Amino acid sequence: MTSHVGAVRQWLRECEGRFAPYAVTETLHRACHTLAGASRMAEARHGVRVAEPLNLYVRKLYDHGLGLPEAGRRVLAGVVAAMDEVVAHIDENTTYFAKHDELLAQLRWLDADADREIKARGLKPAEALEQSGPLPPPDVELMSVDA
């Protein structure tokens, strides 16, 4: 999982000194997708809890050509920190990860905001997903929690 988190960190570094909205690159999109898949494969339920909604949000932005707002960049940085915690404390109980609730609330708000922008542009929320089809499965060799 750490290699995928590293790809997101690199994207965040590339945003430094720039202004929102930030272009959602294929590299970021794939890193978020694979991070969610790696969390599922590793059965890291606390990782899945934050990585899955992040993946769906980033994919929505990517598929519709929307940039990540500043609030999204901050949440993305928060998810990176949360994933570091998940890897370091994989066997902790749910209460250990209580601050993930705030990240999830922020992701829900961002997702709803993206839906409003998509609607304002006259696109159907699922239109681009139908056109682009599913992503290929993530590389199996990259799915190790220790990676």
Side-chain angles (χ1 to χ4, degrees):
M1 271 194 268
T2 55
S3 64
H4 314 305
V5 170
V8 175
R9 273 195 186 98
Q10 177 61 38
W11 185 88
L12 288 167
R13 279 192 296 273
E14 290 170 5
C15 291
E16 291 174 8
R18 297 184 180 174
F19 297 100
Y22 305 99
V24 177
T25 63
E26 183 174 354
T27 300
L28 175 65
H29 172 240
R30 287 190 176 276
C32 292
H33 171 75
T34 308
L35 185 60
S39 296
R40 282 190 306 276
M41 292 295 289
E43 297 181 6
R45 69 183 193 275
H46 304 297
V48 171
R49 189 169 176 237
V50 292
E52 191 63 34
L54 175 69
N55 172 47
L56 295 173
Y57 172 63
V58 169
R59 176 157 186 183
K60 183 181 290 184
L61 296 179
Y62 182 79
D63 284 346
H64 289 87
L66 301 175
L68 190 77
E70 178 59 29
R73 188 199 58 77
R74 288 190 306 269
V75 168
L76 188 59
V79 170
V80 166
M83 293 308 292
D84 286 340
E85 285 181 344
V86 168
V87 170
H89 304 283
I90 195 80
D91 293 322
E92 292 290 342
N93 64 35
T94 302
T95 58
Y96 183 85
F97 300 101
K99 65 182 171 182
H100 290 188
D101 291 339
E102 183 178 335
L103 282 173
L104 292 171
Q106 292 169 345
L107 274 168
R108 282 190 297 273
W109 184 88
L110 287 164
D111 191 63
D113 190 54
D115 284 341
R116 284 187 290 275
E117 187 165 347
I118 289 165
K119 186 177 179 181
R121 291 181 180 202
L123 299 173
K124 294 178 186 170
E127 182 178 356
L129 293 176
E130 293 168 7
Q131 293 173 0
S132 66
L135 283 175
D139 295 332
V140 174
E141 69 181 20
L142 298 175
M143 290 191 191
S144 165
V145 173
D146 300 324

